[in-house]
Amino acid sequence: AQRVTQPEKLLSVFKGAPVELKCNYSYSGSPELFWYVQYSRQRLQLLLRHISRESIKGFTADLNKGETSFHLKKPFAQEEDSAMYYCALNTGGFKTIFGAGTRLFVKA
Amino acid sequence: NAGVTQTPKFRILKIGQSMTLQCTQDMNHNYMYWYRQDPGMGLKLIYYSVGAGITDKGEVPNGYNVSRSTTEDFPLRLELAAPSQTSVYFCASKEGGGLLTEAFFGQGTRLTVV
């Protein structure tokens, strides 16, 4: 079955602390994974995709096929990182499966 | 550059009423989607369309209908509203079906059925 699991509904960290948002997937094919973010009162938007191996706003995510994971990491959290984060899996071209989301709260 | 526009942003319906959630995009994207998001759940795909005149069911299509008469518009119709349809609805579009293409989202419609 195709599935994306984000085990944490809420993650609360202090400003300057490292943050890791977990994402595990289940997919028999070659996965294409994304992280989307939704800031307060804004629309859902792409944060980064695994194929680009990029760092966006200090966030990185590495695809680990052995552990079927795509965790999102940032070494030093900022208050403006507070948002809802969704891990997503593109399957078969047109279909995108989303995880339940993790709300990140960065405390001052 | 408007992107994906959804209307209305909020709506309260009574059980049994009907309504249409509007979605339009100005990016000339072929692929369009309707998702619903329930508390604590991921986005569930309701319907999708790969081009004008072509629509297909997603994971949770029951109680909904769609049409795609133009590339720009992809309205979602609720014929007989039920409390189980209380949710936040998101419309999205993609340029194509390629695995690497990102989805662009509307701001969502919060629907409450009472």
Side-chain angles (χ1 to χ4, degrees), chain B residues 41-85:
Chain B
M41 309 292 287
L43 280 72
K44 300 289 187 186
L45 182 63
I46 305 171
Y47 269 95
Y48 67 95
S49 169
V50 300
I54 306 169
T55 63
D56 208 345
K57 296 177 180 179
E59 304 167 81
V60 290
N62 291 343
Y64 307 94
N65 276 301
V66 293
S67 60
R68 187 91 182 274
S69 56
T70 65
T71 300
E72 296 78 17
D73 300 307
F74 190 43
L76 177 72
R77 178 89 178 155
L78 284 72
E79 291 295 349
L80 290 170
S84 61
Q85 293 178 304

mmCIF file of all heavy atoms in Angstrom, chain B residues 41-85:
data_model
loop_
_atom_site.group_PDB
_atom_site.id
_atom_site.type_symbol
_atom_site.label_atom_id
_atom_site.label_comp_id
_atom_site.label_asym_id
_atom_site.label_seq_id
_atom_site.Cartn_x
_atom_site.Cartn_y
_atom_site.Cartn_z
ATOM 1 N N MET B 41 -5.716 14.389 10.031
ATOM 2 C CA MET B 41 -5.559 13.476 8.891
ATOM 3 C C MET B 41 -4.778 14.182 7.789
ATOM 4 O O MET B 41 -4.672 15.389 7.755
ATOM 5 C CB MET B 41 -6.934 13.055 8.365
ATOM 6 C CG MET B 41 -7.874 12.528 9.430
ATOM 7 S SD MET B 41 -7.344 10.962 10.098
ATOM 8 C CE MET B 41 -7.725 9.877 8.723
ATOM 9 N N GLY B 42 -4.270 13.398 6.884
ATOM 10 C CA GLY B 42 -3.615 13.982 5.719
ATOM 11 C C GLY B 42 -4.640 14.474 4.729
ATOM 12 O O GLY B 42 -5.845 14.392 4.963
ATOM 13 N N LEU B 43 -4.170 14.982 3.639
ATOM 14 C CA LEU B 43 -5.069 15.409 2.575
ATOM 15 C C LEU B 43 -5.534 14.170 1.808
ATOM 16 O O LEU B 43 -4.710 13.381 1.339
ATOM 17 C CB LEU B 43 -4.365 16.378 1.621
ATOM 18 C CG LEU B 43 -4.250 17.829 2.073
ATOM 19 C CD1 LEU B 43 -3.256 17.991 3.186
ATOM 20 C CD2 LEU B 43 -3.863 18.704 0.890
ATOM 21 N N LYS B 44 -6.821 14.022 1.690
ATOM 22 C CA LYS B 44 -7.387 12.892 0.960
ATOM 23 C C LYS B 44 -7.878 13.368 -0.403
ATOM 24 O O LYS B 44 -8.598 14.355 -0.497
ATOM 25 C CB LYS B 44 -8.563 12.274 1.733
ATOM 26 C CG LYS B 44 -8.190 11.748 3.108
ATOM 27 C CD LYS B 44 -7.339 10.512 3.013
ATOM 28 C CE LYS B 44 -7.110 9.904 4.391
ATOM 29 N NZ LYS B 44 -6.165 8.761 4.327
ATOM 30 N N LEU B 45 -7.521 12.641 -1.446
ATOM 31 C CA LEU B 45 -7.887 13.036 -2.797
ATOM 32 C C LEU B 45 -9.340 12.677 -3.078
ATOM 33 O O LEU B 45 -9.744 11.521 -2.931
ATOM 34 C CB LEU B 45 -6.959 12.342 -3.801
ATOM 35 C CG LEU B 45 -7.157 12.682 -5.273
ATOM 36 C CD1 LEU B 45 -6.871 14.160 -5.519
ATOM 37 C CD2 LEU B 45 -6.252 11.819 -6.152
ATOM 38 N N ILE B 46 -10.122 13.665 -3.502
ATOM 39 C CA ILE B 46 -11.544 13.447 -3.788
ATOM 40 C C ILE B 46 -11.730 13.124 -5.267
ATOM 41 O O ILE B 46 -12.273 12.081 -5.627
ATOM 42 C CB ILE B 46 -12.374 14.698 -3.424
ATOM 43 C CG1 ILE B 46 -12.137 15.113 -1.976
ATOM 44 C CG2 ILE B 46 -13.864 14.437 -3.662
ATOM 45 C CD1 ILE B 46 -12.760 16.452 -1.613
ATOM 46 N N TYR B 47 -11.315 14.032 -6.110
ATOM 47 C CA TYR B 47 -11.379 13.871 -7.562
ATOM 48 C C TYR B 47 -10.157 14.549 -8.172
ATOM 49 O O TYR B 47 -9.567 15.436 -7.569
ATOM 50 C CB TYR B 47 -12.631 14.549 -8.130
ATOM 51 C CG TYR B 47 -13.858 13.679 -8.226
ATOM 52 C CD1 TYR B 47 -14.801 13.685 -7.201
ATOM 53 C CD2 TYR B 47 -14.082 12.880 -9.334
ATOM 54 C CE1 TYR B 47 -15.950 12.894 -7.286
ATOM 55 C CE2 TYR B 47 -15.217 12.079 -9.430
ATOM 56 C CZ TYR B 47 -16.151 12.100 -8.395
ATOM 57 O OH TYR B 47 -17.272 11.320 -8.478
ATOM 58 N N TYR B 48 -9.847 14.139 -9.396
ATOM 59 C CA TYR B 48 -8.791 14.812 -10.115
ATOM 60 C C TYR B 48 -9.152 14.866 -11.599
ATOM 61 O O TYR B 48 -10.066 14.172 -12.056
ATOM 62 C CB TYR B 48 -7.444 14.127 -9.902
ATOM 63 C CG TYR B 48 -7.336 12.748 -10.507
ATOM 64 C CD1 TYR B 48 -6.781 12.559 -11.772
ATOM 65 C CD2 TYR B 48 -7.770 11.622 -9.804
ATOM 66 C CE1 TYR B 48 -6.674 11.303 -12.323
ATOM 67 C CE2 TYR B 48 -7.675 10.369 -10.353
ATOM 68 C CZ TYR B 48 -7.121 10.199 -11.609
ATOM 69 O OH TYR B 48 -7.025 8.947 -12.160
ATOM 70 N N SER B 49 -8.406 15.691 -12.304
ATOM 71 C CA SER B 49 -8.641 15.847 -13.739
ATOM 72 C C SER B 49 -7.299 16.022 -14.437
ATOM 73 O O SER B 49 -6.444 16.780 -13.962
ATOM 74 C CB SER B 49 -9.524 17.072 -13.993
ATOM 75 O OG SER B 49 -9.547 17.386 -15.373
ATOM 76 N N VAL B 50 -7.123 15.347 -15.538
ATOM 77 C CA VAL B 50 -5.865 15.443 -16.282
ATOM 78 C C VAL B 50 -5.998 16.355 -17.494
ATOM 79 O O VAL B 50 -5.045 16.515 -18.262
ATOM 80 C CB VAL B 50 -5.343 14.060 -16.702
ATOM 81 C CG1 VAL B 50 -5.085 13.199 -15.471
ATOM 82 C CG2 VAL B 50 -6.294 13.379 -17.661
ATOM 83 N N GLY B 51 -7.167 16.952 -17.672
ATOM 84 C CA GLY B 51 -7.370 17.884 -18.772
ATOM 85 C C GLY B 51 -8.841 18.172 -18.936
ATOM 86 O O GLY B 51 -9.694 17.489 -18.337
ATOM 87 N N ALA B 52 -9.142 19.180 -19.729
ATOM 88 C CA ALA B 52 -10.540 19.554 -19.951
ATOM 89 C C ALA B 52 -11.321 18.361 -20.488
ATOM 90 O O ALA B 52 -10.867 17.664 -21.395
ATOM 91 C CB ALA B 52 -10.612 20.724 -20.924
ATOM 92 N N GLY B 53 -12.474 18.120 -19.889
ATOM 93 C CA GLY B 53 -13.343 17.035 -20.294
ATOM 94 C C GLY B 53 -13.016 15.686 -19.683
ATOM 95 O O GLY B 53 -13.720 14.704 -19.925
ATOM 96 N N ILE B 54 -11.964 15.626 -18.878
ATOM 97 C CA ILE B 54 -11.531 14.343 -18.295
ATOM 98 C C ILE B 54 -11.458 14.470 -16.780
ATOM 99 O O ILE B 54 -10.715 15.308 -16.256
ATOM 100 C CB ILE B 54 -10.145 13.934 -18.824
ATOM 101 C CG1 ILE B 54 -10.125 13.927 -20.346
ATOM 102 C CG2 ILE B 54 -9.755 12.562 -18.269
ATOM 103 C CD1 ILE B 54 -8.740 13.793 -20.933
ATOM 104 N N THR B 55 -12.232 13.653 -16.093
ATOM 105 C CA THR B 55 -12.176 13.637 -14.628
ATOM 106 C C THR B 55 -12.176 12.198 -14.147
ATOM 107 O O THR B 55 -12.623 11.295 -14.872
ATOM 108 C CB THR B 55 -13.377 14.374 -13.995
ATOM 109 O OG1 THR B 55 -14.592 13.690 -14.349
ATOM 110 C CG2 THR B 55 -13.449 15.823 -14.459
ATOM 111 N N ASP B 56 -11.704 11.999 -12.935
ATOM 112 C CA ASP B 56 -11.690 10.649 -12.377
ATOM 113 C C ASP B 56 -11.734 10.722 -10.861
ATOM 114 O O ASP B 56 -11.380 11.740 -10.254
ATOM 115 C CB ASP B 56 -10.467 9.875 -12.830
ATOM 116 C CG ASP B 56 -10.731 8.370 -12.876
ATOM 117 O OD1 ASP B 56 -11.752 7.924 -12.295
ATOM 118 O OD2 ASP B 56 -9.930 7.641 -13.482
ATOM 119 N N LYS B 57 -12.184 9.608 -10.272
ATOM 120 C CA LYS B 57 -12.337 9.563 -8.822
ATOM 121 C C LYS B 57 -11.001 9.369 -8.132
ATOM 122 O O LYS B 57 -10.120 8.681 -8.629
ATOM 123 C CB LYS B 57 -13.275 8.405 -8.442
ATOM 124 C CG LYS B 57 -14.683 8.572 -8.968
ATOM 125 C CD LYS B 57 -15.532 7.360 -8.619
ATOM 126 C CE LYS B 57 -16.956 7.540 -9.165
ATOM 127 N NZ LYS B 57 -17.803 6.362 -8.868
ATOM 128 N N GLY B 58 -10.915 9.970 -6.930
ATOM 129 C CA GLY B 58 -9.767 9.747 -6.070
ATOM 130 C C GLY B 58 -10.118 8.744 -4.988
ATOM 131 O O GLY B 58 -10.870 7.804 -5.209
ATOM 132 N N GLU B 59 -9.597 8.984 -3.795
ATOM 133 C CA GLU B 59 -9.801 8.047 -2.687
ATOM 134 C C GLU B 59 -11.177 8.154 -2.050
ATOM 135 O O GLU B 59 -11.736 7.153 -1.579
ATOM 136 C CB GLU B 59 -8.757 8.302 -1.595
ATOM 137 C CG GLU B 59 -7.317 8.231 -2.041
ATOM 138 C CD GLU B 59 -6.407 8.808 -0.971
ATOM 139 O OE1 GLU B 59 -6.092 8.084 -0.002
ATOM 140 O OE2 GLU B 59 -6.019 9.979 -1.091
ATOM 141 N N VAL B 60 -11.735 9.361 -1.989
ATOM 142 C CA VAL B 60 -12.980 9.598 -1.239
ATOM 143 C C VAL B 60 -13.992 10.378 -2.071
ATOM 144 O O VAL B 60 -14.402 11.475 -1.698
ATOM 145 C CB VAL B 60 -12.678 10.310 0.101
ATOM 146 C CG1 VAL B 60 -11.965 9.390 1.079
ATOM 147 C CG2 VAL B 60 -11.856 11.584 -0.119
ATOM 148 N N PRO B 61 -14.479 9.832 -3.185
ATOM 149 C CA PRO B 61 -15.357 10.596 -4.081
ATOM 150 C C PRO B 61 -16.832 10.634 -3.695
ATOM 151 O O PRO B 61 -17.582 11.469 -4.212
ATOM 152 C CB PRO B 61 -15.198 9.841 -5.399
ATOM 153 C CG PRO B 61 -14.972 8.413 -4.969
ATOM 154 C CD PRO B 61 -14.158 8.505 -3.710
ATOM 155 N N ASN B 62 -17.253 9.750 -2.795
ATOM 156 C CA ASN B 62 -18.686 9.645 -2.509
ATOM 157 C C ASN B 62 -19.260 10.935 -1.949
ATOM 158 O O ASN B 62 -18.728 11.509 -1.002
ATOM 159 C CB ASN B 62 -18.944 8.491 -1.532
ATOM 160 C CG ASN B 62 -18.674 7.139 -2.173
ATOM 161 O OD1 ASN B 62 -18.601 7.033 -3.390
ATOM 162 N ND2 ASN B 62 -18.496 6.128 -1.349
ATOM 163 N N GLY B 63 -20.369 11.374 -2.539
ATOM 164 C CA GLY B 63 -21.028 12.590 -2.091
ATOM 165 C C GLY B 63 -20.603 13.833 -2.849
ATOM 166 O O GLY B 63 -21.097 14.928 -2.561
ATOM 167 N N TYR B 64 -19.707 13.650 -3.805
ATOM 168 C CA TYR B 64 -19.174 14.781 -4.568
ATOM 169 C C TYR B 64 -19.268 14.514 -6.073
ATOM 170 O O TYR B 64 -19.296 13.372 -6.505
ATOM 171 C CB TYR B 64 -17.697 15.034 -4.232
ATOM 172 C CG TYR B 64 -17.391 15.182 -2.771
ATOM 173 C CD1 TYR B 64 -16.975 14.089 -2.012
ATOM 174 C CD2 TYR B 64 -17.501 16.410 -2.135
ATOM 175 C CE1 TYR B 64 -16.683 14.216 -0.670
ATOM 176 C CE2 TYR B 64 -17.207 16.546 -0.782
ATOM 177 C CZ TYR B 64 -16.796 15.446 -0.058
ATOM 178 O OH TYR B 64 -16.513 15.572 1.268
ATOM 179 N N ASN B 65 -19.289 15.623 -6.816
ATOM 180 C CA ASN B 65 -19.174 15.534 -8.267
ATOM 181 C C ASN B 65 -18.308 16.669 -8.768
ATOM 182 O O ASN B 65 -18.219 17.719 -8.120
ATOM 183 C CB ASN B 65 -20.559 15.624 -8.936
ATOM 184 C CG ASN B 65 -21.249 14.285 -8.962
ATOM 185 O OD1 ASN B 65 -20.742 13.320 -9.524
ATOM 186 N ND2 ASN B 65 -22.400 14.203 -8.318
ATOM 187 N N VAL B 66 -17.678 16.466 -9.908
ATOM 188 C CA VAL B 66 -16.845 17.506 -10.497
ATOM 189 C C VAL B 66 -17.124 17.590 -11.988
ATOM 190 O O VAL B 66 -17.741 16.701 -12.582
ATOM 191 C CB VAL B 66 -15.335 17.237 -10.288
ATOM 192 C CG1 VAL B 66 -14.953 17.334 -8.830
ATOM 193 C CG2 VAL B 66 -14.947 15.897 -10.880
ATOM 194 N N SER B 67 -16.647 18.670 -12.558
ATOM 195 C CA SER B 67 -16.676 18.840 -14.006
ATOM 196 C C SER B 67 -15.445 19.618 -14.411
ATOM 197 O O SER B 67 -14.859 20.343 -13.599
ATOM 198 C CB SER B 67 -17.946 19.567 -14.443
ATOM 199 O OG SER B 67 -18.019 20.846 -13.846
ATOM 200 N N ARG B 68 -15.045 19.473 -15.642
ATOM 201 C CA ARG B 68 -13.873 20.217 -16.147
ATOM 202 C C ARG B 68 -14.158 20.616 -17.584
ATOM 203 O O ARG B 68 -13.708 19.998 -18.535
ATOM 204 C CB ARG B 68 -12.621 19.327 -16.073
ATOM 205 C CG ARG B 68 -11.341 20.068 -16.426
ATOM 206 C CD ARG B 68 -10.666 20.685 -15.264
ATOM 207 N NE ARG B 68 -9.474 21.420 -15.614
ATOM 208 C CZ ARG B 68 -8.250 20.893 -15.734
ATOM 209 N NH1 ARG B 68 -8.071 19.582 -15.563
ATOM 210 N NH2 ARG B 68 -7.227 21.664 -16.007
ATOM 211 N N SER B 69 -14.924 21.682 -17.728
ATOM 212 C CA SER B 69 -15.292 22.127 -19.066
ATOM 213 C C SER B 69 -14.203 22.989 -19.699
ATOM 214 O O SER B 69 -14.141 23.119 -20.924
ATOM 215 C CB SER B 69 -16.626 22.890 -19.027
ATOM 216 O OG SER B 69 -16.529 23.972 -18.117
ATOM 217 N N THR B 70 -13.371 23.584 -18.869
ATOM 218 C CA THR B 70 -12.266 24.393 -19.374
ATOM 219 C C THR B 70 -10.980 23.998 -18.655
ATOM 220 O O THR B 70 -11.029 23.365 -17.589
ATOM 221 C CB THR B 70 -12.499 25.898 -19.141
ATOM 222 O OG1 THR B 70 -12.506 26.157 -17.728
ATOM 223 C CG2 THR B 70 -13.823 26.358 -19.731
ATOM 224 N N THR B 71 -9.851 24.386 -19.194
ATOM 225 C CA THR B 71 -8.583 24.121 -18.520
ATOM 226 C C THR B 71 -8.501 24.850 -17.188
ATOM 227 O O THR B 71 -7.928 24.349 -16.234
ATOM 228 C CB THR B 71 -7.408 24.567 -19.414
ATOM 229 O OG1 THR B 71 -7.451 23.833 -20.629
ATOM 230 C CG2 THR B 71 -6.067 24.336 -18.729
ATOM 231 N N GLU B 72 -9.108 26.050 -17.125
ATOM 232 C CA GLU B 72 -8.940 26.894 -15.938
ATOM 233 C C GLU B 72 -9.770 26.471 -14.737
ATOM 234 O O GLU B 72 -9.375 26.662 -13.608
ATOM 235 C CB GLU B 72 -9.302 28.345 -16.285
ATOM 236 C CG GLU B 72 -8.400 29.005 -17.319
ATOM 237 C CD GLU B 72 -8.696 28.582 -18.741
ATOM 238 O OE1 GLU B 72 -9.805 28.032 -18.994
ATOM 239 O OE2 GLU B 72 -7.812 28.761 -19.599
ATOM 240 N N ASP B 73 -10.969 25.935 -14.985
ATOM 241 C CA ASP B 73 -11.932 25.765 -13.901
ATOM 242 C C ASP B 73 -12.183 24.298 -13.550
ATOM 243 O O ASP B 73 -12.312 23.454 -14.435
ATOM 244 C CB ASP B 73 -13.263 26.420 -14.278
ATOM 245 C CG ASP B 73 -13.102 27.901 -14.548
ATOM 246 O OD1 ASP B 73 -12.548 28.591 -13.665
ATOM 247 O OD2 ASP B 73 -13.511 28.363 -15.622
ATOM 248 N N PHE B 74 -12.313 24.057 -12.264
ATOM 249 C CA PHE B 74 -12.548 22.685 -11.780
ATOM 250 C C PHE B 74 -13.450 22.757 -10.545
ATOM 251 O O PHE B 74 -13.013 22.592 -9.412
ATOM 252 C CB PHE B 74 -11.207 22.032 -11.456
ATOM 253 C CG PHE B 74 -11.281 20.550 -11.176
ATOM 254 C CD1 PHE B 74 -12.054 19.707 -11.955
ATOM 255 C CD2 PHE B 74 -10.532 19.988 -10.147
ATOM 256 C CE1 PHE B 74 -12.096 18.340 -11.712
ATOM 257 C CE2 PHE B 74 -10.561 18.626 -9.894
ATOM 258 C CZ PHE B 74 -11.344 17.801 -10.674
ATOM 259 N N PRO B 75 -14.741 22.989 -10.725
ATOM 260 C CA PRO B 75 -15.640 23.118 -9.585
ATOM 261 C C PRO B 75 -15.972 21.774 -8.947
ATOM 262 O O PRO B 75 -16.053 20.755 -9.631
ATOM 263 C CB PRO B 75 -16.890 23.760 -10.210
ATOM 264 C CG PRO B 75 -16.838 23.355 -11.651
ATOM 265 C CD PRO B 75 -15.387 23.260 -12.013
ATOM 266 N N LEU B 76 -16.185 21.809 -7.644
ATOM 267 C CA LEU B 76 -16.563 20.617 -6.861
ATOM 268 C C LEU B 76 -17.977 20.825 -6.345
ATOM 269 O O LEU B 76 -18.274 21.818 -5.691
ATOM 270 C CB LEU B 76 -15.602 20.437 -5.688
ATOM 271 C CG LEU B 76 -15.900 19.274 -4.742
ATOM 272 C CD1 LEU B 76 -15.576 17.941 -5.424
ATOM 273 C CD2 LEU B 76 -15.080 19.411 -3.453
ATOM 274 N N ARG B 77 -18.843 19.874 -6.616
ATOM 275 C CA ARG B 77 -20.250 19.988 -6.267
ATOM 276 C C ARG B 77 -20.604 19.026 -5.137
ATOM 277 O O ARG B 77 -20.267 17.832 -5.196
ATOM 278 C CB ARG B 77 -21.098 19.656 -7.503
ATOM 279 C CG ARG B 77 -22.583 19.687 -7.287
ATOM 280 C CD ARG B 77 -23.134 21.054 -7.529
ATOM 281 N NE ARG B 77 -24.598 21.083 -7.355
ATOM 282 C CZ ARG B 77 -25.257 22.183 -7.029
ATOM 283 N NH1 ARG B 77 -24.628 23.325 -6.858
ATOM 284 N NH2 ARG B 77 -26.573 22.146 -6.899
ATOM 285 N N LEU B 78 -21.284 19.558 -4.121
ATOM 286 C CA LEU B 78 -21.868 18.730 -3.066
ATOM 287 C C LEU B 78 -23.377 18.779 -3.262
ATOM 288 O O LEU B 78 -23.984 19.850 -3.201
ATOM 289 C CB LEU B 78 -21.546 19.263 -1.668
ATOM 290 C CG LEU B 78 -20.153 19.032 -1.112
ATOM 291 C CD1 LEU B 78 -19.124 19.907 -1.805
ATOM 292 C CD2 LEU B 78 -20.151 19.308 0.395
ATOM 293 N N GLU B 79 -23.987 17.642 -3.516
ATOM 294 C CA GLU B 79 -25.418 17.629 -3.833
ATOM 295 C C GLU B 79 -26.302 17.603 -2.590
ATOM 296 O O GLU B 79 -27.259 18.346 -2.493
ATOM 297 C CB GLU B 79 -25.740 16.425 -4.715
ATOM 298 C CG GLU B 79 -25.176 16.522 -6.116
ATOM 299 C CD GLU B 79 -25.782 17.649 -6.945
ATOM 300 O OE1 GLU B 79 -26.799 18.241 -6.523
ATOM 301 O OE2 GLU B 79 -25.241 17.952 -8.023
ATOM 302 N N LEU B 80 -25.987 16.754 -1.645
ATOM 303 C CA LEU B 80 -26.780 16.622 -0.414
ATOM 304 C C LEU B 80 -25.799 16.647 0.758
ATOM 305 O O LEU B 80 -25.258 15.626 1.144
ATOM 306 C CB LEU B 80 -27.563 15.306 -0.414
ATOM 307 C CG LEU B 80 -28.714 15.199 -1.414
ATOM 308 C CD1 LEU B 80 -29.231 13.764 -1.478
ATOM 309 C CD2 LEU B 80 -29.848 16.140 -1.014
ATOM 310 N N ALA B 81 -25.570 17.834 1.289
ATOM 311 C CA ALA B 81 -24.546 17.975 2.309
ATOM 312 C C ALA B 81 -24.842 17.135 3.547
ATOM 313 O O ALA B 81 -25.992 17.074 4.014
ATOM 314 C CB ALA B 81 -24.394 19.436 2.695
ATOM 315 N N ALA B 82 -23.800 16.517 4.068
ATOM 316 C CA ALA B 82 -23.894 15.704 5.280
ATOM 317 C C ALA B 82 -22.836 16.167 6.273
ATOM 318 O O ALA B 82 -21.791 16.700 5.866
ATOM 319 C CB ALA B 82 -23.683 14.233 4.932
ATOM 320 N N PRO B 83 -23.067 15.975 7.567
ATOM 321 C CA PRO B 83 -22.077 16.395 8.569
ATOM 322 C C PRO B 83 -20.698 15.801 8.318
ATOM 323 O O PRO B 83 -19.685 16.433 8.642
ATOM 324 C CB PRO B 83 -22.685 15.882 9.883
ATOM 325 C CG PRO B 83 -24.156 15.873 9.637
ATOM 326 C CD PRO B 83 -24.307 15.455 8.201
ATOM 327 N N SER B 84 -20.639 14.613 7.728
ATOM 328 C CA SER B 84 -19.348 13.977 7.448
ATOM 329 C C SER B 84 -18.531 14.755 6.413
ATOM 330 O O SER B 84 -17.333 14.491 6.239
ATOM 331 C CB SER B 84 -19.561 12.546 6.958
ATOM 332 O OG SER B 84 -20.310 12.549 5.755
ATOM 333 N N GLN B 85 -19.170 15.688 5.737
ATOM 334 C CA GLN B 85 -18.460 16.489 4.747
ATOM 335 C C GLN B 85 -17.897 17.789 5.331
ATOM 336 O O GLN B 85 -17.299 18.581 4.598
ATOM 337 C CB GLN B 85 -19.376 16.792 3.563
ATOM 338 C CG GLN B 85 -19.739 15.543 2.772
ATOM 339 C CD GLN B 85 -20.677 15.810 1.627
ATOM 340 O OE1 GLN B 85 -21.765 16.367 1.818
ATOM 341 N NE2 GLN B 85 -20.275 15.420 0.440
#
